[in-house]
Amino acid sequence: YIMKHMLDTNGVWVNCGPVQWHPCALLRPTVEQLKDMLQVAGFELISWSVADEAVAYRHPDDVGGKGLEARYTRSEAYRPLQFVARLLSSQDDGSSSNEDLPLKIQYSEFLNEVAMVK
């Protein structure tokens, strides 16, 4: 996780954007999988939601809404994932306990499966 290494302890990550992965990405987690991964990585999720309204990639009138008529019958849009996460210190993240060990093992097995496919 790049953000984990960029933030200081108690640093805050504010995200608003698509859950979209590069075609060559080894991992393409769903929103819920990403949520679990962040928690295992030591982030406290302060807020977490997926926007109800789609946002157009190119032009606001591609998807319509807010009084605008859609320009086309097909549109490229996404519903932003909005979250605020705080990086916990190693004492706060439970790394000294084994409570989340099954989740860490499951995550490691998932990464191994993904790596073996490529």
Side-chain angles (χ1 to χ4, degrees):
Y1 297 114
I2 293 172
M3 292 303 293
K4 182 171 182 172
H5 299 290
M6 292 182 70
L7 292 173
D8 291 329
T9 298
N10 294 316
V12 176
W13 175 5
V14 178
N15 187 84
C16 182
V19 176
Q20 183 177 26
W21 311 108
H22 189 275
C24 296
L26 289 177
L27 296 177
R28 295 181 185 173
T30 65
V31 170
E32 289 304 313
Q33 289 170 332
L34 181 61
K35 185 177 185 179
D36 291 340
M37 290 166 67
L38 291 174
Q39 290 173 322
V40 168
F43 285 94
E44 171 193 17
L45 299 176
I46 298 167
S47 69
W48 184 275
S49 66
V50 177
D52 293 330
E53 190 171 319
V55 175
Y57 278 108
R58 294 186 177 91
H59 304 286
D61 55 344
D62 277 355
V63 293
K66 295 187 180 179
L68 298 173
E69 188 172 324
R71 295 189 326 167
Y72 307 105
T73 55
R74 179 180 176 206
S75 65
E76 294 182 20
Y78 66 93
R79 293 183 359 202
L81 169 60
Q82 303 161 329
F83 67 83
V84 177
R86 181 177 69 95
L87 182 59
L88 300 171
S89 69
S90 59
Q91 287 180 320
D92 295 339
D93 71 4
S95 60
S96 60
S97 72
N98 290 326
E99 292 176 18
D100 60 353
L101 184 59
L103 184 57
K104 288 181 180 180
I105 292 171
Q106 183 181 8
Y107 173 62
S108 296
E109 290 171 348
F110 172 72
L111 290 178
N112 188 43
E113 287 175 23
V114 170
M116 298 306 272
V117 171
K118 294 282 177 174

